[in-house]
Amino acid sequence: MTSADQAVDPTAHDSGNKATDKFKANRVSSDTSKERANAIYTDLLAAIAQVAHKHEVTYDEYNVLKQWMIDVGEYGEWPLWLDVFVEHEIEEVNYNRHDYTGTKGSIEGPYYVTNSPKLPWNGEMPMREQDKKCTPLYFEGQVTDLEGNGLGGAEIELWHADEEGYYSQFAPGIPEWNLRGTIVTDEEGRYKIKTIQPAPYQIPHDGPTGWFIESYGGHPWRPAHLHLRVSHPGHRTITTQLYFDGGDYVDNDVATATKPELILHPTTGDDGNHVNYPFVLDKED
Ligand code: MBD
Ligand code: FE
């Protein structure tokens, strides 16, 4: 990285605080009972006690943890750290509570934004001239219910990083809706969208999430991925991600968010990469 790049590089501080501000803007709550909260906290504290005893955690280590947690908050990195290291377990648990047979979900991650611009069923993602120089990805398919009926008017929200691994609205200097859009399917549920081939991606690692990863000798990479949220009235909304066959880190994702069913097998043409992926939506519970 040259010093000229540094001025526009998003620091962990920038992207973290943006993710925290976006999360805070939408105050959340849960109807968890006192009994359930008691059971959860009892087990959580017991798990911490077990680790402390098993590893004979020192006072220095305890104080480093305290300091690190303060840093994570100040850098706004709780959405990042939690989504990378915990969300996949929550996603799995909640999938297993139902008898879903439609398209598998995956984690949302910290960079989803609601209300991205509507695009026609056969549109092109908003992109800059520099993005147009990347390998085009022609991504098409059909959204259906479990019986195979096409779901017209289904919405496919798509968001992904640019070639350098930056997401609009979380890195500075990128147009607000770059590589973000809501594709509306045609009467038969079809979509045919032009975007660009995403690249493997390092999560922001110049802040406390990066220090954490370095402290245990890990790496900050995620495989190249597309983020999607697919919805249609009366059907279960799925939040998922798609990956690329044979891509780096598909088997070694820092966020543990890949699944075999979510791996695309594109073909390469003269005009770019082409791939078809069907989305199957379960009925709403
Ligand atoms: C990402 O792009 C992402 O998908 C996740 C899960 C965490 C950090 C950045
Ligand atoms: Fe991502």
Side-chain angles (χ1 to χ4, degrees):
M1 190 190 309
T2 67
S3 55
D5 293 332
Q6 218 117 37
V8 293
D9 259 0
T11 64
H13 220 132
D14 277 342
S15 53
N17 280 319
K18 282 188 182 125
T20 292
D21 288 346
K22 282 221 159 68
F23 185 81
K24 279 165 67 179
N26 181 12
R27 213 64 209 169
V28 297
S29 65
S30 158
D31 58 4
T32 309
S33 69
K34 277 212 164 85
E35 290 70 28
R36 179 170 160 81
N38 193 300
I40 291 172
Y41 292 139
T42 300
D43 282 355
L44 181 60
L45 292 171
I48 292 171
Q50 198 254 333
V51 170
H53 283 260
K54 179 176 174 189
H55 298 283
E56 299 184 327
V57 172
T58 67
Y59 251 101
D60 280 351
E61 289 165 345
Y62 170 69
N63 281 322
V64 165
L65 171 68
K66 197 189 280 185
Q67 179 179 280
W68 176 80
M69 291 179 87
I70 291 167
D71 290 341
V72 175
E74 285 181 357
Y75 275 72
E77 283 192 17
W78 282 119
L80 174 66
W81 191 88
L82 286 165
D83 290 353
V84 169
F85 292 102
V86 181
E87 189 184 354
H88 63 99
E89 300 292 348
I90 305 299
E91 195 277 326
E92 183 184 334
V93 164
N94 285 279
Y95 180 83
N96 291 343
R97 287 170 60 217
H98 306 270
D99 298 317
Y100 294 140
T101 57
T103 300
K104 288 255 158 70
S106 185
I107 67 174
E108 179 175 298
Y111 301 146
Y112 171 64
V113 182
T114 54
N115 293 318
S116 60
K118 290 265 169 72
L119 302 175
W121 77 278
N122 60 352
E124 178 173 321
M125 289 285 273
M127 64 176 82
R128 300 161 293 182
E129 284 308 312
Q130 68 194 79
D131 300 310
K132 289 183 179 158
K133 296 189 180 113
C134 302
T135 305
L137 177 66
Y138 297 89
F139 175 56
E140 63 179 296
Q142 193 187 18
V143 182
T144 67
D145 63 15
L146 293 181
E147 286 78 47
N149 303 305
L151 297 176
E155 293 191 354
I156 303 175
E157 293 170 78
L158 173 63
W159 70 103
H160 65 91
D162 66 15
E163 192 183 34
E164 295 178 294
Y166 298 146
Y167 284 86
S168 58
Q169 301 191 38
F170 295 90
I174 302 177
E176 189 175 18
W177 297 105
N178 205 57
L179 300 176
R180 294 179 182 275
T182 301
I183 300 111
V184 183
T185 61
D186 76 356
E187 319 78 65
E188 290 165 52
R190 286 177 307 193
Y191 69 94
K192 190 172 188 164
I193 191 86
K194 181 180 177 187
T195 188
I196 59 169
Q197 179 72 37
Y201 170 85
Q202 295 188 78
I203 64 167
H205 57 285
D206 57 337
T209 299
W211 308 335
F212 172 82
I213 292 169
E214 211 173 276
S215 73
Y216 67 79
H219 71 72
W221 289 92
R222 298 212 62 222
H225 58 281
L226 301 171
H227 289 274
L228 300 125
R229 194 170 183 276
V230 185
S231 57
H232 184 268
H235 295 86
R236 171 191 174 232
T237 298
I238 47 168
T239 299
T240 194
Q241 298 187 34
L242 293 171
Y243 306 92
F244 296 87
D245 186 35
D248 291 341
Y249 303 102
V250 168
D251 299 318
N252 191 12
D253 176 9
V254 66
T256 327
T258 64
K259 299 180 186 182
E261 300 88 344
L262 300 178
I263 295 174
L264 298 171
H265 302 265
T267 57
T268 304
D270 293 340
D271 55 345
N273 296 339
H274 293 252
V275 73
N276 187 299
Y277 192 83
F279 292 101
V280 182
L281 299 190
D282 287 280
K283 277 251 144 41
E284 208 162 47
D285 300 314

